[in-house]
Amino acid sequence: MLQKFVIYSISIKSLLSNSENIIIKFFYVIICPVKIVVTVIANAKKSKIQKTGNNLKIWVDAPAVEGKANKRLIEILSEYYYKPKSSFIIKSGLKSKKKIIEIL
């Protein structure tokens, strides 16, 4: 999906008593969070998402009062990306139309 993967490879040479070289490879993966820029239009009649380049424009059917629009935004993103709500963090723009969302 929207995860960045960084794969590292480590090679270890093992010397055995019969002087054969065996190379053992280990792989480990680091999953990096992804950040997206979102423009939010609060208090819309119907919620919808429009992709514009690398950014998303999201109409939220909740008022921008007491964090209701932010809560609904996370629910909409959760449905859009098929991820749990706990995977989304608003990194900046809590009280702004333009937000940076981190997806874990």
Side-chain angles (χ1 to χ4, degrees):
M1 214 177 280
L2 250 185
Q3 297 289 342
K4 287 184 183 176
F5 293 99
V6 180
I7 300 175
Y8 292 98
S9 170
I10 301 172
S11 296
I12 299 174
K13 282 190 178 180
S14 175
L15 296 175
L16 299 177
S17 59
N18 57 3
S19 69
E20 290 181 19
N21 284 334
I22 296 177
I23 297 176
I24 303 170
K25 286 204 174 217
F26 294 96
F27 293 96
Y28 60 96
V29 176
I30 298 175
I31 300 173
C32 306
V34 174
K35 292 182 182 175
I36 57 171
V37 178
V38 174
T39 303
V40 177
I41 293 125
N43 216 16
K45 290 182 181 180
K46 184 179 161 185
S47 61
K48 69 176 184 175
I49 297 178
Q50 176 186 355
K51 189 167 182 172
T52 55
N54 292 333
N55 303 339
L56 293 177
K57 192 172 188 178
I58 302 178
W59 285 261
V60 176
D61 56 350
V65 178
E66 298 174 0
K68 291 180 183 177
N70 287 336
K71 186 177 178 183
R72 182 68 180 123
L73 170 67
I74 297 299
E75 290 171 359
I76 293 168
L77 287 171
S78 173
E79 293 168 9
Y80 183 74
Y81 286 112
Y82 302 104
K83 291 184 141 282
K85 290 185 267 187
S86 59
S87 296
F88 299 92
I89 300 169
I90 300 175
K91 293 304 268 185
S92 69
L94 278 173
K95 294 186 176 185
S96 171
K97 288 182 177 185
K98 202 164 226 179
K99 302 176 186 305
I100 296 177
I101 310 289
E102 186 175 81
I103 305 172
L104 304 174

